[in-house]
Amino acid sequence: MPFDRRVLLFVSQWDYGDPSRGPSSDQHFWLPAVRALARETDVLWSDGAWLRGGSLDGALLERVARTRPDLVLFFPGADEVAPATLRRLQELTTTLAFF
């Protein structure tokens, strides 16, 4: 039986945000694993932070507000998420980040 939760996976679609490098390990390994385990999986690609720099705080908070996931799972590698956004996420849902 799957994990009876909605999970938002906030990961890079492309290796280091670069399509010429091919799919990221997040897309290759984590996305199928989470989809197999969770009742519902939503994905927000974090490539914009790699390509343009800066954070994707607004996009992440908007997606969390709209989809109300039980868990946000992400693997920060750049400045995708600011500390203030992490604090706000703690108020909205459970987060799990691998560094």
Side-chain angles (χ1 to χ4, degrees):
M1 169 170 264
F3 181 56
D4 190 25
R5 298 288 186 264
R6 287 177 309 226
V7 176
L8 172 59
L9 191 59
F10 181 53
V11 295
S12 183
Q13 182 176 14
W14 307 108
D15 190 37
Y16 291 94
D18 182 354
S20 71
R21 294 177 59 117
S24 69
S25 59
D26 299 332
Q27 181 182 178
H28 187 72
F29 295 109
W30 282 101
L31 181 55
V34 172
R35 281 187 173 153
L37 293 173
R39 172 175 45 93
E40 185 179 322
T41 304
D42 187 20
V43 179
L44 177 60
W45 300 117
S46 63
D47 298 282
W50 289 100
L51 299 174
R52 294 181 302 275
S55 75
L56 296 174
D57 296 334
L60 178 57
L61 290 172
E62 183 279 325
R63 182 70 63 93
V64 168
R66 184 167 41 86
T67 63
R68 303 308 237 181
D70 299 297
L71 172 66
V72 176
L73 178 62
F74 59 102
F75 311 93
D79 295 324
E80 298 99 330
V81 183
T85 300
L86 290 174
R87 288 188 290 277
R88 178 68 180 131
L89 285 173
Q90 286 179 322
E91 298 169 3
L92 299 172
T93 190
T94 300
T95 60
L96 177 61
F98 287 92
F99 295 90

